[in-house]
């Protein structure tokens, strides 16, 4: 295996979760008698450029199918974040009706709708047909394709050279990160700005967030690696902010390095120094992560077995990727975890990949009254605890497994 960015063959250990099915391949009731495809889920770190990356086992078409069930607009707090971003960027970079805003991985138009609402022309790039259709219903123009240098050149020729490009939670999901980043350098106007949000590797390691690992996630990013990858592909990082999303994310601001219209702020050097201080330039930092993942897995499994011995019924909330990684690494099945509640009607009636835990509507919670509810998307726990606060009526308690097993009072 060679590094996706620098082609080095020196790749050290980071995380080995054995095998798992793709986390979005929910099982339909009529397919329960059929086998599932499990692929190795092994993540390594490049000893040269420090890009943390999955080993390649399947094509991206396997993971971004027509059945892709994740719609951004289902999360109310994420919509608030998108709205605030649109207002901030419009003000900071003086966007108006003569500007062009392009979002890569526009999903269902959750973000572009706010630019469109202010009369700023915008375009979305989105490879998934179901979410692209939802964006078009909002009146947003969508190019249904994977983004890279070729598509960027084509769009720039067609009048879509951009003042602002946004890429939220997609940089870590592209197999060819060099081609993807070059696309931004090709498509930005000389003074244009691109912003990228992605979960910060620093938090993943500090908080034992091993369950953010899944096949669709090709890279786990530090600013150290991103700064180098961008520079090699025509972009310069000029600012960085932290956001609380997905357990702690970075928002990186970049411009074309040929022009460098935007001076580099101190924030960049400060973040690089913070990463160096944490040990992110040394192999030992990465090699120690496996043990942290196994500790979380063992504590969680022990808790689930204990509940069964005590006769306590356990359910879970949130049928998403994080949960699938945790449940499949722990080898859990419906005998220990009766059901998982999800408010997305498209997932209800299906089964989680691998563990085959049934996905049900929230009404099942009040009917079954489980004594313990495991919040799988721990990053949304504040919101979920409020939404389901009524489980205390029957003595129910919330549980989170990451970073350490916690029974919430
Ligand atoms: Zn490398």
């Amino acid at each position: 295996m060679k590094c996706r960015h620098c082609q080095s063959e020196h790749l050290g250990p980071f995380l080995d979760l054995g095998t798992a099915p793709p986390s979005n391949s929910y099982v339909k009731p009529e397919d329960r008698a059929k086998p599932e495809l499990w692929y190795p889920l092994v993540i390594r770190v490049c000893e040269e450029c420090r890009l943390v990356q999955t080993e390649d086992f399947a094509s991206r078409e396997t993971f971004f199918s027509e059945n892709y069930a994740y719609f951004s607009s289902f999360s109310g707090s994420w919509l608030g974040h998108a709205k605030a971003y649109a207002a901030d960027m419009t003000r900071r970079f003086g966007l108006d009706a003569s500007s062009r805003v392009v979002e890569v991985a526009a999903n269902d138009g959750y973000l572009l709708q706010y630019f469109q609402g202010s009369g700023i022309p915008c375009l979305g790039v989105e490879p998934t047909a179901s979410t692209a259709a939802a964006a078009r219903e909002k009146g947003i123009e969508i190019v249904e394709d994977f983004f890279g240098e070729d598509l960027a050149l084509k769009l720039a020729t067609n009048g879509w050279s951009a003042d602002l490009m946004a890429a939220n939670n997609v940089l870590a999901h592209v197999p060819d990160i060099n081609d993807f980043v070059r696309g931004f350098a090709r498509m930005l106007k000389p003074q244009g700005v691109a912003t990228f949000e992605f979960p910060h590797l620093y938090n993943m390691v500090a908080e034992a967030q091993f369950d953010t690992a899944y096949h669709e996630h090709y890279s786990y990013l530090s600013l150290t690696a991103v700064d180098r990858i961008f520079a090699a592909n025509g972009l310069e990082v000029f600012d960085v902010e932290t956001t609380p999303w997905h357990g702690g994310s970075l928002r990186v601001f970049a411009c074309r390095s040929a022009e460098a219209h935007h001076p580099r702020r101190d924030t960049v050097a400060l973040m690089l120094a913070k990463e160096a201080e944490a040990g992110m330039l040394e192999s030992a930092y990465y090699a120690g992560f496996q043990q942290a993942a196994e500790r979380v897995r063992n504590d969680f499994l022990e808790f689930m077995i204990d509940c069964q011995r005590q006769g306590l019924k356990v359910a879970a909330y949130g049928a998403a990727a994080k949960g699938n990684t945790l449940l499949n690494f722990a080898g859990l099945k419906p005998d220990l975890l009766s059901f998982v509640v999800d408010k997305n009607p498209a997932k209800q009636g299906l089964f989680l990949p691998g563990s085959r835990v049934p996905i049900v509507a929230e009404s099942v919670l009040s009917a079954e009254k489980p004594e313990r509810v495991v919040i799988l998307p721990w990053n949304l726990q504040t919101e979920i605890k409020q939404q389901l606060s009524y489980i205390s009526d029957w003595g129910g308690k919330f549980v989170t497994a990451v970073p350490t097993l916690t029974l919430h009072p």
Side-chain angles (χ1 to χ4, degrees):
M1 177 189 175
K2 286 184 182 172
C3 170
R4 282 175 207 294
H5 167 58
C6 75
Q7 307 300 317
S8 164
E9 288 180 359
H10 298 116
L11 295 156
F14 181 65
L15 183 61
D16 184 344
L17 296 178
T19 56
S23 70
N24 275 310
S25 50
Y26 297 96
V27 179
K28 293 175 189 160
E30 62 269 29
D31 292 338
R32 287 180 78 192
K34 296 179 189 162
E36 287 173 75
L37 291 171
W38 289 53
Y39 299 92
L41 184 46
V42 179
I43 301 168
R44 300 189 177 279
V45 59
C46 175
E47 304 285 359
E48 305 292 330
C49 72
R50 297 297 174 199
L51 177 63
V52 175
Q53 50 202 291
T54 49
E55 281 187 16
D56 261 337
F57 291 100
S59 73
R60 60 183 175 179
E61 283 75 17
T62 312
F63 301 130
F64 293 92
S65 67
E66 290 304 298
N67 305 322
Y68 195 63
Y70 185 75
F71 284 82
S72 292
S73 295
F74 276 98
S75 163
S77 48
W78 180 244
L79 282 180
H81 179 64
K83 189 175 181 181
Y85 169 88
D88 286 354
M89 295 305 114
T90 302
R91 198 168 44 239
R92 181 167 171 182
F93 300 113
L95 304 176
D96 58 28
S98 67
S99 308
R100 294 283 180 278
V101 174
V102 176
E103 186 185 19
V104 176
N107 204 280
D108 60 359
Y110 74 99
L111 173 69
L112 289 179
Q113 62 183 341
Y114 298 114
F115 288 102
Q116 178 166 270
S118 313
I120 300 167
C122 52
L123 176 75
V125 177
E126 173 57 55
T128 317
S130 54
T131 46
R136 289 194 187 103
E137 271 171 37
K138 295 186 177 85
I140 294 162
E141 191 179 341
I142 297 285
V143 175
E144 212 175 299
D145 206 346
F146 286 101
F147 186 77
E149 194 174 15
D150 288 347
L151 182 64
L153 286 169
K154 204 156 65 181
L155 293 174
T157 311
N158 291 333
W160 278 101
S161 288
D163 296 271
L164 176 69
M165 294 183 76
N168 291 332
N169 296 313
V170 61
L171 186 60
H173 291 80
V174 294
D176 188 349
I177 197 166
N178 291 327
D179 177 64
F180 185 80
V181 171
R182 270 200 306 277
F184 289 81
R186 296 286 188 203
M187 212 170 147
L188 283 177
K189 288 181 184 170
Q191 76 287 2
V193 172
T195 70
F196 301 81
E197 279 188 48
F198 50 84
H200 194 188
L201 180 65
Y202 178 92
N203 296 77
M204 182 185 186
V205 173
E207 303 286 326
Q209 299 164 352
F210 79 91
D211 56 345
T212 61
Y214 39 95
H215 298 100
E216 300 92 320
H217 213 154
Y218 290 93
S219 312
Y220 302 81
L221 301 162
S222 60
L223 186 62
T224 302
V226 165
D227 192 39
R228 177 174 168 157
I229 294 166
F230 279 23
N233 290 293
L235 286 184
E236 175 162 302
V237 174
F238 68 87
D239 197 6
V240 60
E241 296 171 350
T242 54
T243 81
W245 290 93
H246 297 288
S249 292
L250 291 184
R251 178 188 287 164
V252 165
F253 293 73
C255 59
R256 284 166 46 165
S257 37
E259 283 86 5
H261 268 278
H262 302 270
R264 194 174 241 225
R265 292 192 171 181
D266 293 346
T267 50
V268 181
L270 285 171
M271 185 58 73
L272 290 172
K274 179 183 168 178
E275 290 187 351
E277 208 168 297
M280 294 176 96
L281 301 176
E282 293 138 41
S283 303
Y285 173 89
Y286 302 91
F289 192 55
Q290 180 72 20
Q291 222 178 347
E294 288 171 7
R295 176 190 50 77
V296 171
R297 189 263 323 264
N298 293 349
D299 290 351
F300 179 58
L301 202 47
E302 200 170 11
F303 168 83
M304 296 298 283
I305 292 169
D306 257 9
C307 285
Q308 197 188 47
R309 284 188 176 135
Q310 291 174 47
L312 300 174
K313 185 185 279 186
V314 187
Y317 187 90
K322 279 188 191 65
N324 289 329
T325 298
L326 173 67
L327 299 182
N328 286 325
F329 185 45
L332 276 199
K333 297 284 181 285
D335 55 341
L336 291 181
L337 181 64
S338 335
F339 59 87
V340 57
V341 172
D342 199 283
K343 67 175 172 183
N344 182 350
K347 291 183 184 172
Q348 293 162 9
L350 305 178
F351 297 82
L352 294 182
S355 66
R356 300 282 179 109
V357 173
I359 306 169
V360 300
E362 194 182 321
S363 57
V364 177
L365 211 50
S366 338
E368 295 287 327
K369 299 187 173 44
E371 282 93 354
R372 301 288 179 262
V373 176
V374 181
I375 299 175
L376 295 172
W378 40 259
N379 51 313
L380 304 174
Q381 60 182 276
T382 308
E383 200 174 330
I384 293 166
K385 277 158 72 177
Q386 269 170 10
Q387 185 197 331
L388 307 180
S389 59
Y390 56 83
I391 71 163
S392 64
D393 294 353
W394 62 79
K397 284 193 158 81
F398 295 107
V399 181
T400 44
V402 176
T404 48
L405 191 98
T406 308
L407 185 62
H408 297 256

